């Protein structure tokens, strides 16, 4: 006999779940001044950084200038978890990365070491990077400036691991593509209702989009002087490629592709444009880019730009670069320093305050050695 045939189809059920790790991330920069004086204290001996808190736990970095028993050819660094009652019995899981920093405060790729995820316990509170850098390389590199260098520790602490039910056949939500649609709108010019004349080029844009992104455009295109923009807006003090890059950012919230050799100059011009049209995010992006280009030749002019356009982050980056005595002396002898003296005399007072300890130390005669 054949089995009975059901007239109704049987239901099929399904569900999904996701393993979620809750994490907290932080970082700490450890600066080593007077590097030469820290050496020759013994293999395996270390100096501590100040304590820093990430994930509710206290940590510090250990600096082994003479290396470790496992590695005697260079410098070792280790991350320590301070013992406290908040440490769980099974320890703390944490992933950390150590980076040597260049003079601009950026990680040096070839000396950035991912130390992986480690379990820190009361019995094993430290994990290290034994072969971080050899003495020979550090002492011959540009990263040891005026007998000092810095490293950064990026630390991610795992707070909790849990399973979350995500329902049956949960749909995958793609990332937002709003910027692509608005970018296409800008490129196609469909519905454009305002024209800008910059140099020998004309740009068609949408009043509502510009006004939504910039209070300056809001006032210009919808304020009392709106009628004067009906026939177009002429902009005489900006390059057409800079204005086009700014419009691209307004529509897409991203910068257009810029050739590497033009990136610094474009960032300078875009920072001025961003300040003019009150585009704060673009202004911060430009500050971040320019912070990576600071050198002796342009430090003074960059400082002037930071002061004139109220760029606090860029100003701080300039002063970090100038903290090195050799950098400060070279910048004060540059042509850009003369421009700084004329444009921003208040900044000169700050630089002279930085230079004063150096001048005093040179003018103070050394005590003769006793034989």
């Amino acid at each position: 006999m054949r089995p009975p045939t059901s007239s109704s189809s049987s239901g099929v059920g399904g569900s999904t779940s996701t393993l979620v790790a809750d994490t907290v991330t932080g970082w700490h920069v450890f600066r080593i001044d007077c590097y030469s004086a820290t050496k020759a204290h013994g293999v395996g001996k270390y100096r501590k950084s100040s304590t820093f808190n990430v994930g509710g736990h206290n940590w510090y970095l250990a600096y082994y200038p003479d290396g470790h028993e496992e590695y005697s050819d260079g410098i070792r660094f280790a991350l320590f978890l301070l013992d406290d009652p908040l440490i769980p019995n099974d320890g703390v899981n944490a992933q950390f990365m150590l980076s040597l920093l260049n003079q601009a405060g950026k990680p040096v790729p070839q000396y950035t070491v991912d130390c992986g995820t480690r379990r820190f316990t009361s019995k094993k509170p430290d994990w290290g990077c034994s072969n971080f850098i050899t003495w020979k390389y550090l002492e011959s590199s540009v990263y040891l400036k005026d007998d000092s260098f810095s490293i950064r520790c990026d630390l991610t602490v795992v707070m909790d691991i849990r399973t979350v039910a995500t329902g049956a056949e949960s749909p995958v939500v793609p990332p937002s593509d709003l910027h692509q649609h608005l970018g296409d709108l800008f490129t196609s010019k469909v519905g454009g209702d305002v024209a800008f004349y910059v140099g020998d080029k004309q740009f068609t844009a949408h009043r509502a989009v510009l006004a939504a992104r910039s209070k300056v455009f809001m006032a210009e295109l919808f304020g009392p002087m709106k009628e004067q923009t009906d026939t177009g807006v002429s902009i005489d003090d900006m390059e057409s490629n800079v204005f086009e890059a700014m419009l691209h950012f307004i529509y897409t919230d991203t910068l257009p592709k810029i050739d590497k050799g033009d990136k610094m100059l474009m960032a300078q011009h875009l920072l001025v444009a961003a300040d003019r049209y009150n585009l704060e995010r673009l202004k911060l992006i430009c500050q971040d880019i320019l912070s990576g280009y600071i050198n002796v030749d342009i430090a003074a002019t960059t400082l002037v730009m930071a002061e004139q356009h109220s760029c606090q982050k860029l100003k701080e980056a300039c002063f970090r670069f100038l903290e090195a005595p050799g950098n400060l002396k070279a910048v004060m002898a540059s042509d850009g320093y003369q421009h700084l003296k004329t444009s921003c005399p208040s900044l000169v007072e700050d630089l002279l305050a930085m230079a004063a300890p150096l001048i005093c130390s040179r003018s103070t005669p050394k005590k003769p050695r006793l034989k």
Side-chain angles (χ1 to χ4, degrees), residues 109-180:
Q110 61 267 41
Y111 283 96
T112 296
V113 180
D114 187 345
C115 301
T117 300
R118 305 292 184 179
R119 183 179 294 276
F120 294 79
T121 66
S122 56
K123 293 182 179 180
K124 175 60 177 171
D126 69 298
W127 289 92
C129 179
S130 295
N131 56 344
F132 185 72
I133 190 170
T134 63
W135 300 306
K136 181 179 179 181
Y137 180 82
L138 177 64
E139 292 168 8
S140 64
S141 72
V142 297
Y143 309 118
L144 183 66
K145 190 74 173 178
D146 299 308
D147 205 30
S148 68
F149 69 99
S150 298
I151 70 158
R152 169 172 167 150
C153 175
D154 287 273
L155 175 61
T156 298
V157 178
V158 179
M159 304 298 291
D160 184 32
I161 299 178
R162 54 197 172 85
T163 300
V164 178
T166 52
E169 300 180 1
S170 299
V172 176
V173 180
S176 172
D177 57 358
L178 176 63
H179 64 288
Q180 295 177 355

Side-chain angles (χ1 to χ4, degrees), residues 1 16 18 48 51 70 80 105 123 132 143 154 202 240 292 338 346 349 353:
M1 296 180 62
T16 62
T18 303
K48 298 180 180 180
T51 302
E70 302 171 359
F80 276 77
K123 293 182 179 180
F132 185 72
Y143 309 118
D154 287 273
Q202 176 182 333
S240 59
Q338 301 305 317
S346 61
E349 297 179 8

Side-chain angles (χ1 to χ4, degrees), residues 59 129-130 163 180 225 239 255 261 284 287 298 303 340:
W59 311 79
C129 179
S130 295
T163 300
Q180 295 177 355
M225 308 299 288
E239 297 291 333
L255 291 180
L284 287 171
Q287 289 183 69
I298 66 169
L303 193 54
L340 186 149

Side-chain angles (χ1 to χ4, degrees), residues 6 11 29 83 89 109 113 156 219 267 272 286-287 304 309 355 357-358 363:
S6 174
V29 172
D83 191 16
N89 293 332
V113 180
T156 298
V272 176
C286 293
Q287 289 183 69
V304 171
H309 297 282
L358 302 176
S363 61

